[in-house]
């Protein structure tokens, strides 16, 4: 699995639908000083597929009037770990059981599992490379 951080020029609206259409699972985005930063996951173990999806996203972003720079896409390899998910679901389940009984156990375990997955993705990554905005899409 790979995590990709995109930087594109700011404009009205966001590109979350374009990320989904390109095969990414959006995690979050933020706007900062005329630049939008999107972070998304892609469930693929092939780096070439990831680069193709980045190109697809660039094409869709260009249709919306956006552009990127030399650091358009930063690619991270996410190591599949289970420690965060196990710790999160156990802690969430125990707290849910203590506070709300059996329904709290189920909801706490699910919430802890989600929090553990996010923790694993953010802490278990290593940088693979940086892609620039495709030359063929520049004005």
């Amino acid at each position: 699995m790979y995590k990709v951080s995109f930087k594109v020029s700011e404009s009205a609206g966001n590109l979350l639908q374009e990320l989904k259409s390109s095969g990414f699972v959006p995690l979050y985005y933020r706007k900062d000083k005329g630049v939008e930063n999107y972070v998304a996951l892609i469930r693929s173990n092939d780096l070439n597929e990831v680069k193709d999806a980045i190109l697809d996203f660039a094409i869709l972003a260009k249709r919306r009037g956006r552009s990127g720079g030399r650091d358009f896409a930063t690619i991270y390899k996410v190591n599949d770990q289970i420690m965060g998910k196990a710790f999160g679901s156990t802690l969430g389940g125990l707290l849910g059981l203590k506070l709300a009984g059996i329904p709290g156990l189920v909801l706490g375990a699910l919430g802890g599992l989600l929090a553990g997955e996010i923790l694993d993705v953010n802490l278990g990554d290593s940088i693979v490379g940086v892609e620039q905005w495709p030359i063929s899409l520049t004005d």
Side-chain angles (χ1 to χ4, degrees), residues 30-101:
R30 67 171 187 232
K31 295 180 181 183
D32 186 32
K33 299 177 185 170
V35 176
E36 292 181 358
N37 187 9
Y38 296 88
V39 177
L41 290 175
I42 185 164
R43 295 200 176 270
S44 174
N45 290 327
D46 185 13
L47 189 58
N48 290 326
E49 285 182 20
V50 174
K51 289 181 179 182
D52 287 343
I54 290 171
L55 180 62
D56 290 344
F57 176 67
I59 291 168
L60 293 173
K62 180 65 178 174
R63 288 183 186 162
R64 296 272 309 266
R66 309 292 177 86
S67 64
R70 298 181 65 76
D71 59 347
F72 167 61
T74 305
I75 305 169
Y76 300 91
K77 173 76 174 156
V78 176
N79 301 323
D80 193 18
Q81 299 174 351
I82 196 165
M83 191 61 153
K85 291 182 274 252
F87 180 71
S89 61
T90 302
L91 184 63
L94 290 176
L95 285 174
L97 182 63
K98 179 80 173 168
L99 296 174

Side-chain angles (χ1 to χ4, degrees), residues 4 6 15-29 38-40 57 60:
V4 182
F6 296 100
L15 297 173
L16 295 177
Q17 187 61 39
E18 284 77 5
L19 272 175
K20 291 177 185 176
S21 297
S22 300
F24 290 98
V25 178
L27 291 179
Y28 66 90
Y29 88 100
Y38 296 88
V39 177
F57 176 67
L60 293 173

